[in-house]
Amino acid sequence: MADAEVRRRLAATWGTGAGLWDRLTTVDHKIVGRRYILTAFLFLGLAGLSAVAMRLQLARPESRLIGPDLYNQLFTMHGTTMMFLFAVPVMEAFGVYLVPLMLGTRNIAFPRLNAFSYWVYLFGGLMIWFAFMLNVGADAGWFAYVPLAGPEYSPGKRVDFWAQMITFTEVSAQAVAVEIIVTTLKQRAPGMSLDRIPLFVWSMLVTSVMICLAMPAVMLASTFLIMDRLIGTQFFNPAEGGQPLLWQHLFWFFGHPEVYIIFLPATGMVSQIVVAFSRRPAFGYLALVLALVSVGFLSFGLWVHHMFATGLPQLGASFFTASSMLIGIPNGLQIFCWIATLWTGRPVFATPLLFVLGFFFIFVAGGLSGLMLASVPLDFQLHDSYFVVAHFHYVLIGGAVFPLLGAIYYWFPKITGRMMSERAGRWHFALAFLGFNLAFFPMHVLGLQGMPRRVYTYLPETGWGSLNLLVSFGALLFALSFVVLAANAVAAVRRGALAGPNPWGVGTLEWATGSPPPAYNFERIPVVTHREPLWAERESLPVVVGLAVDDREVVATSPVEAKASLREMSPEPSIWPLLSAIATTIAFIGSIFTPWAVVWGGAIVAVALIGWFWPKGSREDER
Ligand code: HEM
Ligand SMILES: [Cu+2]
């Protein structure tokens, strides 16, 4: 068959039409991934606006811009949105888009579940923001500590909306994690043995396993919470034998790994960018993989460092101090490997690499303040002060947002087919780096001077006024840098230079196909013989032959050596994932108002699932 004919028939098999129905039923991981990324950035915008509002209020002492009640909602919505609706979803969204391409397969495993996950995430996120606009916004902090979040001190529906939204987004996060694990272990291009998997995919694999272990803890906690609030259980009420500390243990058993669930994919992005712009394979590939795995493992042993001030036994506190410091070792190792890669390569300082250098600086600074907080006596002093706010923004923004921004510049040409402006990119970087440090560095000092966090105002006599003004100014600059990013992206989509398949000259498989990739990803499934296949095979990649072009066939491979083992059918588009997500949403929202919603909601979800899984004869049977 001629190449053009193969492409035409593959496009007819895998393509998504332009109509509304096609859009609502699509199961193409690239379309879902793109939506996911855009939605996550929408939520970043909302969370960023709430941060700017808080900083306007705190710019001067005794400001009357925002009252205490709204302020409580703002910091809760900010933290909740950043953590649950932006940071984790955006990393998974990049995984959904990139992992199948980097592995050389045609679609993610369980593509309908993937569509479902996206809708659930969207509806859950919209729900909590509608609640906020109707003045039932969550207001007990993103960690919702009981008893403050319990029925006694938080009457009304605010915390109920929060608790259900958590369960919602975690359903979606878990589903995506399962898809990524199965795609990585079963759908790699033949020959891509475990030691040839791109580092970003490794990081998504480790992260996905962590999601499967950590998220159930918070789903359990939020479900207990809503039961305490709505149907009179007493999980967290000490008067009836419950335990408020149970909340903190469940929450932080999830909450600390959560930080690494955000951070590890970011390190994967850093690895890809460092390799691409040093123009050499990663120094210490094996060490980097082992570091990912050990960070993933160790992060489950640190949660109690968030609870030092709760009066734990001494031995326990020492153990968690030691393990918190231990995790610095694999993190340091990763940084050494990246520096060695740059050092021994021929680095090109394009925008993505600038953001990675910014990441090195900010993340190391955040790690140092983290070491300080891991020491119990210092933590007693600094607990719930602005020092902590400075620390976690250094780690979260330096550790995740800067690599993410680099990743946007790096993969934008692949996703859209167009290049972003390098000049605007440099301006964006300079503004972001300056704005960030102006906004967050002085917070360390404010914390040492005793300014508590989660306060909506402070007195002039405290002398915190001028540093707060500086902080707010920095926050505005930092926010402005995102306007530069948005303008750059919009201009690039409209009239950026055409990118071509591999504009940076990189070695991994996603660059072996068109930009943007065609619906079927690869005309012929590649066979991998090297860690950087496009660098090793200068002529052309070896490929798998004999895969159907009129059926959605993918190659299934063995988990360790990636030997081709069988052909699998990948599901067709379907409306049921969307209908199931709507049914789930109705059931969840209903349960905020009546426990009976669990019963009738279960019934409509069951109907939708029956539709989803109704057996249909496959084309195979017809033949
Ligand atoms: C434009 C950049 C940002 C600014 C100006 C900003 C500012 C703030 C402020 C003023 C607070 C309240 C501190 C307090 O009173 O305790 C806060 C809390 C918080 N921020 Fe940010 N932030 C930004 C970005 C981020 C990002 C990217 C993340 C996560 C990925 C994040 C996560 C959090 C969390 C988890 C809290 C704690 C909320 C709570 O106490 O319930 N922030 N931020
Ligand atoms: Cu922690």
Side-chain angles (χ1 to χ4, degrees):
M1 221 185 297
D3 281 0
E5 175 67 5
V6 170
R7 283 198 289 270
R8 195 187 59 73
R9 288 171 65 176
L10 279 172
T13 308
W14 290 91
T16 300
L20 181 65
W21 182 258
D22 299 304
R23 302 259 126 197
L24 295 179
T25 56
T26 187
V27 291
D28 183 335
H29 76 99
K30 297 180 292 304
I31 298 179
V32 175
R34 219 161 49 207
R35 271 181 203 161
Y36 227 129
I37 296 175
L38 282 174
T39 310
F41 272 91
L42 172 87
F43 285 119
L44 170 73
L46 289 173
L49 285 180
S50 37
V52 168
M54 284 189 281
R55 281 319 315 178
L56 289 179
Q57 161 69 18
L58 292 171
R60 296 179 295 117
E62 295 197 305
S63 162
R64 292 184 193 285
L65 209 59
I66 291 172
D69 179 57
L70 180 58
Y71 191 88
N72 283 347
Q73 291 181 62
L74 279 176
F75 78 69
T76 305
M77 293 299 290
H78 167 77
T80 302
T81 305
M82 284 294 189
M83 301 302 272
F84 292 106
L85 298 177
F86 167 66
V88 175
V90 82
M91 296 303 176
E92 288 197 309
F94 268 87
V96 163
Y97 191 98
L98 290 170
V99 164
L101 287 167
M102 298 180 90
L103 294 179
T105 183
R106 296 213 151 127
N107 205 350
I108 198 163
F110 315 128
R112 290 187 179 177
L113 185 64
N114 192 31
F116 172 78
S117 326
Y118 169 72
W119 296 120
V120 166
Y121 157 63
L122 177 71
F123 297 152
L126 289 181
M127 175 181 100
I128 192 153
W129 274 90
F130 277 131
F132 173 71
M133 282 172 222
L134 301 174
N135 198 22
V136 268
D139 61 352
W142 85 281
F143 37 76
Y145 280 168
V146 291
L148 181 65
E152 196 179 338
Y153 297 101
S154 284
K157 290 288 171 208
R158 289 182 166 183
V159 174
D160 300 318
F161 272 99
W162 181 90
Q164 291 304 65
M165 191 278 304
I166 297 298
T167 315
F168 242 107
T169 50
E170 302 315 319
V171 166
S172 140
Q174 293 231 304
V176 174
V178 170
E179 294 152 21
I180 288 180
I181 293 174
V182 176
T183 312
T184 309
L185 294 183
K186 288 302 293 175
Q187 284 185 207
R188 304 200 299 272
M192 189 184 279
S193 47
L194 281 185
D195 57 351
R196 292 181 185 153
I197 299 180
L199 286 161
F200 176 69
V201 179
W202 261 117
S203 75
M204 286 307 306
L205 179 64
V206 175
T207 303
S208 300
V209 172
M210 292 175 67
I211 288 178
C212 290
L213 297 174
M215 298 293 179
V218 73
M219 287 165 80
L220 200 65
S222 59
T223 305
F224 285 172
L225 176 64
I226 202 158
M227 285 167 72
D228 269 13
R229 295 175 52 88
L230 295 180
I231 57 171
T233 56
Q234 309 287 346
F235 287 105
F236 303 121
N237 180 5
E240 299 286 339
Q243 242 317 337
L245 264 191
L246 172 63
W247 172 268
Q248 292 199 27
H249 281 298
L250 284 174
F251 187 85
W252 289 116
F253 183 78
F254 140 82
H256 188 84
E258 161 97 340
V259 177
Y260 288 94
I261 287 170
I262 296 167
F263 174 59
L264 287 185
T267 65
M269 293 169 168
V270 169
S271 293
Q272 298 303 147
I273 294 174
V274 164
V275 166
F277 293 95
S278 317
R279 313 200 165 287
R280 58 150 290 172
F283 179 94
Y285 174 93
L286 189 63
L288 283 166
V289 172
L290 291 177
L292 282 171
V293 176
S294 55
V295 169
F297 181 76
L298 286 174
S299 70
F300 281 92
L302 324 180
W303 79 94
V304 170
H305 69 201
H306 296 267
M307 301 163 61
F308 282 155
T310 55
L312 294 164
Q314 179 70 49
L315 185 64
S318 312
F319 173 82
F320 285 99
T321 298
S323 56
S324 302
M325 301 209 169
L326 201 62
I327 204 166
I329 297 173
N331 282 327
L333 185 68
Q334 282 181 298
I335 296 200
F336 282 121
C337 288
W338 292 319
I339 291 179
T341 310
L342 283 168
W343 204 274
T344 53
R346 289 173 281 124
V348 178
F349 291 91
T351 308
L353 193 55
L354 291 184
F355 276 100
V356 167
L357 297 182
F359 150 82
F360 286 163
F361 177 84
I362 300 175
F363 184 74
V364 169
L368 292 179
S369 57
L371 283 180
M372 295 168 70
L373 289 171
S375 123
V376 177
L378 266 178
D379 187 62
F380 270 85
Q381 184 66 31
L382 297 168
H383 182 72
D384 270 350
S385 79
Y386 256 83
F387 190 91
V388 176
V389 182
H391 157 71
F392 70 71
H393 284 92
Y394 262 74
V395 184
L396 285 168
I397 297 183
V401 177
F402 270 69
L404 184 71
L405 293 172
I408 290 176
Y409 284 89
Y410 178 56
W411 277 298
F412 190 90
K414 179 52 53 187
I415 299 178
T416 66
R418 308 242 173 200
M419 303 298 289
M420 291 173 86
S421 150
E422 189 62 27
R423 229 169 88 95
R426 281 162 197 271
W427 274 105
H428 172 204
F429 172 72
L431 206 57
F433 190 75
L434 190 77
F436 170 81
N437 283 297
L438 270 183
F440 293 98
F441 193 80
M443 286 186 186
H444 293 106
V445 184
L446 282 170
L448 290 168
Q449 290 176 352
M451 177 163 165
R453 62 189 288 207
R454 299 185 211 114
V455 288
Y456 81 106
T457 194
Y458 50 93
L459 292 173
E461 298 85 276
T462 54
W464 302 330
S466 41
L467 277 182
N468 268 302
L469 190 63
L470 187 66
V471 165
S472 297
F473 174 70
L476 282 179
L477 275 191
F478 189 54
L480 195 67
S481 76
F482 284 86
V483 178
V484 178
L485 170 67
N488 194 354
V490 171
V493 168
R494 293 238 178 99
R495 48 175 196 277
L498 286 178
N502 193 357
W504 312 114
V506 191
T508 41
L509 285 182
E510 78 273 30
W511 305 98
T513 182
S515 311
Y520 44 85
N521 288 0
F522 299 91
E523 198 178 314
R524 295 199 163 78
I525 299 302
V527 173
V528 171
T529 53
H530 193 268
R531 241 174 238 159
E532 307 283 345
L534 302 190
W535 283 346
E537 312 282 346
R538 280 167 212 285
E539 311 292 304
S540 67
L541 282 172
V543 292
V544 178
V545 287
L547 216 53
V549 289
D550 297 320
D551 271 320
R552 294 181 162 235
E553 270 188 357
V554 294
V555 185
T557 41
S558 63
V560 177
E561 291 175 322
K563 287 212 176 80
S565 51
L566 50 97
R567 304 156 165 201
E568 260 292 304
M569 290 296 282
S570 180
E572 309 263 328
S574 160
I575 192 67
W576 289 104
L578 173 58
L579 294 181
S580 304
I582 294 175
T584 312
T585 307
I586 294 173
F588 267 81
I589 295 186
S591 68
I592 298 177
F593 297 95
T594 156
W596 284 105
V598 176
V599 179
W600 55 253
I604 56 174
V605 172
V607 170
L609 289 182
I610 290 171
W612 182 337
F613 290 105
W614 196 258
K616 267 192 313 202
S618 71
R619 309 223 339 230
E620 203 87 346
D621 305 335
E622 288 161 24
R623 274 188 214 131

